[in-house]
Amino acid sequence: MLRVLKFGGTSVGTLERINGVAQIIKKFRDAGDDIVAVVSAMSGETNKLIEYANNFSQTPNEIEMDMLLSSGERVTSALLSIALNELGLQATSMSGREAGIVTTSQHTNARIEDINTSNMKDAISNGKIIIVAGFQGVSANNARVTTLGRGGSDLTAVALAGALKADICEIYTDVDGIYTTDPRIEPKAKKLEKISYDEMLELASLGAKVLQNRSVEMAKKLNVNLVSRSSFTPEVEGTLITKEENIMEAPVVSGIALDRNQIRVGMYGVIDKPGIASAIFTALADADINVDMIVQTRGLDNTTNLDFTVPTVDIEKTKTTMIAFEDDSEKIDYNDAICKVSIVGVGMKSHTGVASKAFTAMAKDNININIISTSEIKISMIIDEKYAELAVRSLHEIYELDK
Ligand code: ASP
Ligand code: MG
């Protein structure tokens, strides 16, 4: 069986940890598996390199940034390979280019265009364990080193697993899987055995430190079975992220996510005529603002109320953009003391009463719900931020996620 294993920054954060990773690889190898391991830079290394660059310039040349940042991953790939060879295993490191990862030339945020697997396939058939420097590739048009954006080593791993048709792609971090909610908020949170790609994407806030969202999207597209597990407790099985069809008895609700980094923009008494929403959201998109929830309802006297949420970091940009629309409504307000709690589960497609339970939980704790919006597999509520943790715990309980 072919395993693609990815080890994140904390998993290779010290020389001792790199040795621990070598032991994990050895175990699989001794059991007869073929292995392609993808490594991140040692934790903190990429940030340190960015700081070095900023010491000289706040707007460093992006081609040079890629040259600089890609070095972190190369260091760990070579060290891990050296450690494995010392254990008597045959390993070889590869840079992104050597692994055949061809990208666009959007430096510092390149996209993978193609993977030429011939180098890797040759090495595997020669009995080698391959250690790939994650997060990087080579641009198709000018053959320069590129990087894939922060957290991009996950993407490397998933892309390689897809191209090599690996049996499994295991992402190792310091967390042993995906939980029903953030265990720091609800200590009774349970680790999920399996979860579908779509649920994982919706529960992004739970997986934020564990899996890069772009890589989950790619796993879904390429049909790669992903596992989130810990290199600190390799004996513990992680969470499998897979096709919905592979999950026999999906629970109605899989998890509760919390997003504190949203601002609610409210527009009251918006003139009810065609073209307003188009104009507003086009302007926001042009300003590169990622709008999350959008809710419009009919008001009195030919007006509507329009609410939407944007990331907290974009508040100033949003206010500036909205100046152009001040005359289209009676009032616009901004509230950053809110949060979004979401209930996610593929099982809710075919069950009734899921939403009413959520509202009952909120009512019981006297939490007022500002906005409700739903999709096929998600119910989201905007509530006051001060109730965030209480809401998460109540929802966790009402859906019996601790059972
Ligand atoms: N080292 C890169 C970063 O810190 C890539 C990664 O770790 O996935 O963003
Ligand atoms: Mg990382």
Side-chain angles (χ1 to χ4, degrees), residues 200-263:
M200 188 65 238
L201 288 166
E202 295 288 14
L203 289 170
S205 72
L206 295 181
K209 285 146 265 121
V210 185
L211 281 173
Q212 187 215 37
N213 237 26
R214 245 170 96 194
S215 69
V216 179
E217 277 165 17
M218 186 180 280
K220 180 182 172 188
K221 198 167 91 193
L222 302 178
N223 211 347
V224 169
N225 282 316
L226 263 186
V227 174
S228 159
R229 61 191 299 183
S230 169
S231 66
F232 291 75
T233 51
E235 66 287 355
V236 176
E237 279 186 42
T239 301
L240 173 67
I241 301 136
T242 187
K243 279 202 289 209
E244 206 177 309
E245 296 87 294
N246 292 341
I247 304 171
M248 293 295 268
E249 277 292 334
V252 179
V253 171
S254 294
I256 314 291
L258 172 64
D259 182 353
R260 298 176 194 267
N261 300 316
Q262 295 277 321
I263 299 241

Side-chain angles (χ1 to χ4, degrees), residues 265 267 270 275-287 289 291 296 306 308 318 321-322 324-326 328-329 332:
V265 184
M267 286 183 85
V270 186
I276 298 267
S278 159
I280 293 171
F281 294 107
T282 304
L284 291 166
D286 289 345
I289 297 164
V291 179
Q296 183 189 281
L306 178 60
F308 56 90
T318 305
T321 308
M322 293 305 288
F325 303 100
E326 271 168 3
D328 292 320
S329 70
I332 304 179

Side-chain angles (χ1 to χ4, degrees), residues 6-9 39-47 50 69 72-73 134-136 148-156 212:
K6 185 259 166 176
F7 298 95
V39 287
S40 281
M42 294 168 85
S43 56
E45 195 62 24
T46 308
N47 288 339
I50 292 172
L69 299 189
E73 271 67 11
F135 172 58
Q136 58 187 279
L148 307 176
R150 297 307 304 269
S153 295
D154 287 358
L155 210 57
T156 303
Q212 187 215 37

Side-chain angles (χ1 to χ4, degrees), residues 80-96:
L80 179 55
S81 178
I82 292 169
L84 285 165
N85 280 293
E86 194 59 25
L87 291 175
L89 300 172
Q90 287 194 55
T92 180
S93 64
M94 289 190 185
S95 67

Side-chain angles (χ1 to χ4, degrees), residues 2-6 35-39 94-102 112 114-117 120-121 124 130-136 148 152-169 218 222 224:
L2 173 59
R3 278 178 199 271
V4 171
L5 310 174
K6 185 259 166 176
I35 290 154
V36 174
V38 174
V39 287
M94 289 190 185
S95 67
R97 179 180 58 78
E98 288 165 331
I101 301 171
V102 179
I112 298 175
D114 192 24
I115 297 179
N116 179 349
T117 53
M120 285 188 294
K121 282 187 174 150
I124 292 170
I130 306 175
I131 315 295
V132 179
F135 172 58
Q136 58 187 279
L148 307 176
S153 295
D154 287 358
L155 210 57
T156 303
V158 173
L160 293 186
L164 294 167
K165 301 199 170 32
D167 298 280
I168 196 98
C169 178
M218 186 180 280
L222 302 178
V224 169

